[in-house]
Amino acid sequence: MMVDMKTFNHKSKLRYLLSVLALVAICSVACKKTEPLPVDPYAGGKEALGIKFSQTAPEIEGTKVTFNITGLLSHRSKAHLFINEVEAVITDVTANTVTVTMPNDISTGPASLTIDDQIFFGPMVNVSGKTEIDLTFSALGTNSIINQVLPLPNGNLMLVGGFTNYAQAASEKQPINAIALINPNGTYLNTLASKKGANGSLTSIVRLDNGQFMVGGSLSAFNERKSISGITRLNANGSLDTAIVEVVNLTPLNPKNSYDTVARFNGGITGVATKVFNHNNQLLVLGSFTNYAEHFYERSTRDRKVIGYTKINNVLRMSLDGKMDSTYNFDKAAGLPLEAANGGIYNGVMQSDGKLVLIGGFTKFQNQTANYIVRLDNNGKVDPSFNASANGAINSIRYNATNGKYMLAGSFTTYNGVQVNGLVRINADGSLDNSFTGLPFSGGNATFAAQLSSGKIIVSGVFSRYNNVVRQGFMILNADGTLAAGYNNIGRFTGSISDIYEKTNSLGYPTVILAGYI
């Protein structure tokens, strides 16, 4: 889904089912007593008013909207018309039409009319504004979640996630499993040599200086090549980076069993890699895991691999060939990992200096108080200079390079002791940025927030109102947290956003690619 930065609905509550129940009483002449007929359960129902909307698109002229409707003229005094749950002012009624003035902050959605306790449903009202779907971008997308969008130097985009198809392009000869390549307009490119791809979801991808890629997730094989533990390296064309290794041959008369083709990157985890970063040619991995895994091929056979495990919790640093760095998040002298978080790590970002800021559902990290957010120094230890604390889960963190600040979204209601509404912007040291104020939500909370280079802020989640204004799962804010006038016209959003990417479309307009489960 792409949104153009240039430029839903009164809930269904009543539906009548009218039935006629014919009761036939048969009594013989010898019957001494006549039983009374039962009470009609549908007696007293409302008389039909004869009002009917035409489902043709209404006529919109400026702030005036005219609907084709019949039967309303005699009920005008009791009529209330809503556009996407917001009442509009009725200015004129004829035998065949009703005209209203759209209120401020209206967004695209269906019309509905109420008279007393009866509801009549009208057509969709498409409200124009500064935000619209970019029709130059393919809208077919994947058949499941996209976790990350990675822009490439040539303008193409690499997608990773839990999908098995893109725009119905997959076939038996060219399957699509968790990784896909598209051009800037969203068209699928079949030039990627990933073949059968990952056998599990990919949650993260990073491009190395030599053009190769590191991918992480829940995979244990890539293109049916096994012996992968959550992390592996791909060549620039998307194929698995492999090597031929010598193994133990238990059948000397069959020389081919002396060698095996394996993933060249020999390192991994037991669990799920949530994010993979590259800093100074060292890999930083965060996620839900308790062990580092390394294959010992000199003691393995083609059919059975020997794996060595080292205890390590949540965060790991490795060399580009997969060797664990025992100076990071690890007590080398004791040969033990530092204490794990006591809750899930949902996401994280890496600063330019290599420090990691992690968010999630934890309240302790390395046996220190860390309320849902923590920063690690370059040795993987809790950084006490980062002043950050919330009272509930933080679901999303996004860094903005333009202002050097972070947007946080979640279910928390205080941050650093200050009452907030689950949406804050913080400074590089973890303190609150008081120039932004997240206003109250109704019906849920934000699960994703990101500030664009223009200063506007995209927010999505499970909510129905923001500061008592109807906003259904998606909105665009000004840099101070207020609703951006003219940008909130696109109506209801269903799903979740995992990643965004800013670009300019083929017509020269600034756009944003929204990726996730939409």
Side-chain angles (χ1 to χ4, degrees), residues 8 15 22 74 77 226 228 230 242 260 338 376 407 425 441 480 492 515:
F8 92 82
R15 183 172 290 178
S74 60
S77 62
K226 299 178 182 179
I228 293 173
T242 60
D260 194 11
L338 300 183
L376 306 184
M407 290 297 307
R425 186 169 60 215
F441 289 89
D480 63 359
R492 180 182 292 275

Side-chain angles (χ1 to χ4, degrees), residues 354-371:
K355 293 182 179 181
L356 295 178
V357 182
L358 314 180
I359 54 98
F362 52 87
T363 57
K364 283 185 176 294
F365 196 94
Q366 296 173 355
N367 210 28
Q368 299 184 49
T369 298
N371 289 317

Side-chain angles (χ1 to χ4, degrees), residues 22 32 474:
K32 297 181 179 180
F474 182 88

